[in-house]
Amino acid sequence: MPVLDIARARVTDVVNAFATPLKASHYVELVNPLWTSHKLQARVEEVWDETADSRTITLRPGRNWRRHRAGQYVRLGVPIGGRRFTRTYSISSSPERRDGCITITVKVLDGGRMSGHLVRELAVGSYLPIGLPQGEFVVPDSTPVRPLFITAGSGITPVMSMLRTWDLVGNMPDVAHIHYAPHRYDVIFATELARMAERHRRFRFEPVLTRELDGAVEGDRHFGAAQLDELCPDWRERDVWACGPQSLLEAVEQHFEDAGRSRYLHIERFRAPLADVPDDAEGGEATFVSAGDRVTALAEPATPLLRVAEDAGLNPQHGCRMGICHTCDVPLVAGRVRDLRTGDLIDEPGQLVQICIAGAAGACELALTTPSN
Ligand code: FES
């Protein structure tokens, strides 16, 4: 350990002994929230509107931040109306950026409480809790690649981090990038991508405008076999990274499975793939028990119980909101819920329920505490 770090650790130990029950870091937070060691925060340095409904937010993470790999995401907490919401966002900036900042680029989702807040209301100078970079949606460092990127909407953000990195270090591989957006004005980073394509002959950017037919092109402009053959004839010789809405990812997955090339396909999802809820499925009254209080709300069968609880004014613990991290696990007290990914019913009292991907299947009661609390 460097001498300075040893000295800092010893001083911190001494200060902690006097600061009990708080840590020195709690006092440091009053001076500068980025200097704390007990939690990681980031300051909003700048906001920039990319399109009418998407915004890039520049964040300066505090001490203890770990440099990301291009393609990774971070978990971000945002206080809204006295409650804290958490979502994950891909980092859109390159890890080669030298000013200690990262960017995320957020698109407003239909009914998206947090995306709406980040794009319309977040103020420069705010401090937000942030996690460390995570994720496997990265291009290997060790082997040369010929990537085909297939993205739509804000699914372009992890890919942008990769492209910016290759652009910055001057080492652009042979890249084909197909990107879907409704209209030309919806293409996030359009100008930067066009300039990048001018600078690098090996980078081919193919925007597909699904609602702009230009009079010349007729028919369905969504992903399909014939279109892929036309836009990237050598797709069978490439590794593929795809990120976007569920409908695109399902079509891409099916296509590469049919072609026997699933192992060359890397997919990044920001929502759990959900099964169809049966037409005759019924929701019911969901009761959430928390610290002795009971809150009951009407729950539709396809609405995640996490969302139902939040809409009822509660603040359940959660992380990824897509059935991966298990931060939202709570025990079922009574009644029945449905796993929205598989359609399986859960009705055994005491069984843990991931409320971010479970809906009510009749009346149900859940204890809003995680086993670790
Ligand atoms: S929030 Fe991550 S599994 Fe539910």
Side-chain angles (χ1 to χ4, degrees):
M1 193 189 282
V3 176
L4 201 59
D5 286 352
I6 294 170
R8 185 185 293 141
R10 294 215 170 126
V11 170
T12 303
D13 285 347
V14 172
V15 174
N16 280 342
F18 286 97
T20 305
L22 299 178
K23 298 272 185 226
S25 175
H26 290 95
Y27 295 99
V28 167
E29 185 178 6
L30 299 175
V31 181
N32 186 338
L34 300 188
W35 294 348
T36 60
S37 59
H38 67 285
K39 63 181 174 187
L40 183 58
Q41 298 188 77
R43 185 174 55 228
V44 178
E45 298 283 281
E46 193 183 347
V47 295
W48 172 262
D49 289 334
E50 299 283 353
T51 64
D53 63 355
S54 66
R55 169 174 280 186
T56 288
I57 299 164
T58 304
L59 298 167
R60 181 178 299 283
R63 260 177 73 188
N64 300 337
W65 171 252
R66 185 182 69 215
R67 189 172 182 253
H68 71 285
R69 288 186 68 190
Q72 287 192 306
Y73 60 83
V74 284
R75 188 185 298 179
L76 203 65
V78 177
I80 305 173
R83 286 181 288 151
R84 189 170 121 187
F85 296 88
T86 307
R87 300 286 187 279
T88 51
Y89 293 99
S90 288
I91 300 173
S92 52
S93 54
S94 165
E96 298 297 324
R97 190 173 162 142
R98 292 283 173 230
D99 61 357
C101 291
I102 59 166
T103 62
I104 59 167
T105 303
V106 182
K107 184 171 177 352
V108 179
L109 302 173
D110 274 351
R113 186 167 17 208
M114 184 142 156
S115 60
H117 178 85
L118 290 177
V119 173
R120 312 267 186 244
E121 290 166 43
L122 184 70
V124 170
S126 311
Y127 288 89
L128 306 176
I130 192 171
L132 288 172
Q134 295 176 47
E136 304 300 323
F137 190 73
V138 294
V139 172
D141 295 328
S142 48
T143 44
V145 283
R146 293 181 69 221
L148 164 60
F149 295 132
I150 303 175
T151 60
S154 59
I156 200 169
T157 50
V159 165
M160 199 61 194
S161 179
M162 300 175 193
L163 292 170
R164 281 172 167 160
T165 301
W166 290 322
D167 185 40
L168 269 172
V169 301
N171 188 22
M172 183 68 72
D174 173 357
V175 179
H177 184 178
I178 302 172
H179 178 69
Y180 296 87
H183 304 278
R184 198 165 302 279
Y185 53 76
D186 293 313
V187 178
I188 302 174
F189 311 126
T191 308
E192 186 177 346
L193 286 163
R195 290 199 182 130
M196 220 181 263
E198 280 169 22
R199 273 198 303 278
H200 304 279
R201 275 190 314 110
R202 280 148 58 91
F203 171 51
R204 201 152 39 80
F205 182 58
E206 301 279 4
V208 179
L209 308 172
T210 52
R211 292 196 201 146
E212 247 176 55
L213 300 182
D214 293 334
V217 183
E218 303 258 326
D220 187 4
R221 298 285 289 150
H222 291 94
F223 176 84
Q227 186 191 65
L228 182 61
D229 280 337
E230 178 198 329
L231 296 178
C232 185
D234 61 356
W235 60 269
R236 289 176 191 79
E237 294 152 33
R238 292 176 179 271
D239 278 270
V240 183
W241 281 262
C243 185
Q246 186 58 23
S247 53
L248 171 71
L249 297 183
E250 277 174 7
V252 170
E253 239 174 344
Q254 189 62 56
H255 180 79
F256 281 83
E257 193 182 317
D258 293 348
R261 292 193 58 82
S262 293
R263 71 195 169 103
Y264 299 100
L265 175 63
H266 315 265
I267 279 191
E268 182 78 319
R269 297 178 196 279
F270 289 99
R271 289 187 182 191
L274 302 182
D276 289 335
V277 174
D279 289 343
D280 58 353
E282 288 183 6
E285 283 197 336
T287 301
F288 303 98
V289 187
S290 174
D293 292 334
R294 297 170 68 83
V295 174
T296 298
L298 205 56
E300 295 295 328
T303 306
L305 285 158
L306 173 59
R307 178 79 197 214
V308 175
E310 287 175 343
D311 288 346
L314 299 169
N315 196 14
Q317 284 198 37
H318 63 277
C320 65
R321 301 181 81 95
M322 54 185 293
I324 294 174
C325 70
H326 287 274
T327 311
C328 67
D329 285 7
V330 297
L332 181 69
V333 177
R336 200 162 63 154
V337 301
R338 174 180 282 104
D339 186 319
L340 296 171
R341 297 169 305 181
T342 60
D344 292 346
L345 295 170
I346 300 168
D347 56 7
E348 201 180 307
Q351 200 168 346
L352 290 181
V353 175
Q354 289 173 278
I355 56 173
C356 68
I357 45 89
C364 58
E365 184 171 324
L366 298 134
L368 280 196
T369 47
T370 58
S372 56
N373 282 346

